[in-house]
Amino acid sequence: MKPLVSVIVPVFNVEDYLERCLDSLIKQSLSDIEILLIDDASLDKSGYICEEYAEKDGRFRVIHHPENRGLSVARNTGIANAQSDYLMFVDSDDWVHVNFCKDAYECAVQYQADIVLFRFKRVGDNNITHIKFYNENNPVNPIQSGYKTRYEAIDLLHNRVVGNAAWDKLYQKEIFNDISYPPGFLYEDIGTTYKAIWKAYRIYYLDKVLYYYCQRTDSITAKKTEKLWRDWYTMRIQQYRDLAEWGYPSEKLEVLLKNIAIGYCIKIKPNNSDENYIFCRKVLLDTNNIPVFFSLKGKIMFSLFKYCRPIFELICLLFNRNVC
């Protein structure tokens, strides 16, 4: 019989964190699962650790990439090889609650959900779990468990209550029949998760913390390089264009678009051969009034961009383009 849930774990050079992750998967209260370890040509002992776990627990399957191809390709490999009707993702430096699979799977079956969204907690390298994050319960206006429309689910992504990550969700595998993670990009989740949400017929939000996201100081996303920012905004711009085509509410699109535009022009050096820069510049120049939803810094930078570009660029340069 096929497993109830396929858990996909891309692995690359995480020997210091991998055993903690895999131990949390061995302890899952839902035992009828498979765990696909996609070793993306690790240069450390990660590949050997994967094989050790596969030897002692038959639920692990290891696939070794002959060369490093990136997180997107590793996830796509996992999807292609998964045997279950339900998929979950875990990053190999994170770990999960003992009921990670059980609660999400039972929720999907009970409510016939194509996607189950749930909460996560951000933790530090040394397992500190008191770091506040976006999705901590709001005592004034908590989000209750229940069905969410596409629009409501997209709002949860934009408001960072759930977030764009692949790993705080359970998916019907068939959702990925015509969706894949884009190779070569950082923040590939931003270019993928909203597509899965939009395709889903039933979406259920489960108000439980089931995932522990390790905020590493040495991770790729912790290093704010121009490629990181360029990929982040490229994915955001594509998301905006798709949502506009699909009929996402115009007032919410405006907030998304103008936040993208000011962020891109701050973080990325001006380049008149860069189509995204030209697009974002035009958005700002065509905006007559300061957007009320901008932060104070955002309002100042918007005004400088429109009316005193040299000062705008000087500030970006002085602060290494980390103004906002």
Side-chain angles (χ1 to χ4, degrees):
M1 292 179 63
K2 62 184 179 183
L4 299 179
V5 176
S6 295
V7 182
I8 297 169
V9 187
V11 176
F12 180 67
N13 290 356
V14 285
E15 62 181 7
D16 293 337
Y17 303 90
L18 185 55
E19 292 185 10
R20 179 182 64 186
C21 173
L22 302 186
D23 285 343
S24 73
L25 291 171
I26 283 180
K27 297 173 184 176
Q28 285 301 292
S29 56
L30 182 69
S31 59
D32 192 5
I33 62 176
E34 69 167 350
I35 305 158
L36 295 165
L37 306 180
I38 316 301
D39 174 31
D40 196 27
S42 295
L43 302 175
D44 63 3
K45 296 179 181 178
S46 296
Y48 297 104
I49 294 172
C50 290
E51 292 292 348
E52 288 176 354
Y53 275 76
E55 286 181 8
K56 66 183 180 182
D57 191 321
R59 295 175 299 172
F60 287 94
R61 283 201 287 145
V62 184
I63 299 173
H64 295 283
H65 282 172
E67 59 184 8
N68 181 256
R69 302 178 65 189
L71 179 56
S72 287
V73 176
R75 283 187 178 148
N76 292 338
T77 296
I79 293 168
N81 287 275
Q83 297 177 347
S84 172
D85 292 332
Y86 292 97
L87 305 180
M88 301 182 79
F89 297 93
V90 177
D91 283 357
S92 51
D93 50 358
D94 300 335
W95 71 98
V96 298
H97 191 280
V98 66
N99 294 326
F100 172 69
C101 293
K102 178 178 180 290
D103 285 355
Y105 172 76
E106 291 182 350
C107 188
V109 172
Q110 179 179 354
Y111 298 104
Q112 299 182 342
D114 303 304
I115 292 181
V116 175
L117 316 173
F118 46 86
R119 293 173 53 215
F120 68 97
K121 184 181 287 289
R122 183 167 69 170
V123 299
D125 286 357
N126 56 355
N127 292 358
I128 296 172
T129 59
H130 63 264
I131 302 173
K132 290 196 68 176
F133 198 36
Y134 312 107
N135 63 332
E136 295 294 335
N137 271 343
N138 183 337
V140 177
N141 187 28
I143 298 174
Q144 303 295 328
S145 296
Y147 288 111
K148 302 298 175 185
T149 66
R150 290 177 184 167
Y151 299 111
E152 290 170 334
I154 294 292
D155 288 347
L156 293 179
L157 303 189
H158 290 163
N159 295 336
R160 298 181 178 181
V161 172
V162 174
N164 287 277
W167 34 251
D168 54 351
K169 303 161 184 73
L170 175 143
Y171 312 80
Q172 279 273 7
K173 183 183 178 183
E174 64 183 16
I175 282 178
F176 288 94
N177 286 349
D178 56 358
I179 295 174
S180 61
Y181 288 89
F185 285 92
L186 303 173
Y187 286 114
E188 70 294 325
D189 314 61
I190 294 176
T192 308
T193 302
Y194 75 96
K195 296 177 182 178
I197 293 289
W198 202 262
K199 187 177 177 181
Y201 181 66
R202 287 190 182 90
I203 303 164
Y204 195 89
Y205 172 71
L206 178 63
D207 186 30
K208 288 186 178 181
V209 173
L210 299 178
Y211 193 94
Y212 298 95
Y213 166 52
C214 180
Q215 184 68 52
R216 290 166 49 195
T217 56
D218 62 343
S219 69
I220 293 175
T221 54
K223 301 170 184 176
K224 304 302 184 182
T225 64
E226 181 166 329
K227 173 173 172 53
L228 181 141
W229 286 120
R230 189 178 296 279
D231 285 0
W232 195 92
Y233 283 107
T234 297
M235 295 290 97
R236 284 287 187 188
I237 290 169
Q238 185 59 53
Q239 186 179 126
Y240 161 78
R241 287 173 169 155
D242 285 339
L243 291 175
E245 181 179 343
W246 298 340
Y248 190 65
S250 58
E251 66 277 8
K252 294 180 179 180
L253 281 172
E254 180 186 7
V255 174
L256 178 62
L257 175 60
K258 290 179 180 176
N259 278 316
I260 290 170
I262 189 63
Y264 196 95
C265 291
I266 289 173
K267 301 294 186 185
I268 307 299
K269 296 175 184 177
N271 182 346
N272 290 327
S273 63
D274 178 349
E275 292 183 1
N276 284 337
Y277 178 79
I278 294 170
F279 172 72
C280 291
R281 179 182 63 189
K282 185 176 187 304
V283 168
L284 296 181
L285 294 178
D286 289 348
T287 301
N288 294 322
N289 299 317
I290 299 175
V292 295
F293 46 82
F294 277 3
S295 66
L296 176 59
K297 287 183 180 178
K299 290 175 180 177
I300 293 170
M301 293 303 290
F302 170 80
S303 299
L304 291 174
F305 184 88
K306 285 206 66 167
Y307 303 113
C308 193
R309 192 80 56 82
I311 298 298
F312 174 89
E313 290 299 335
L314 178 61
I315 292 174
C316 290
L317 181 64
L318 289 174
F319 287 91
N320 197 27
R321 309 204 79 85
N322 287 318
V323 181
C324 296

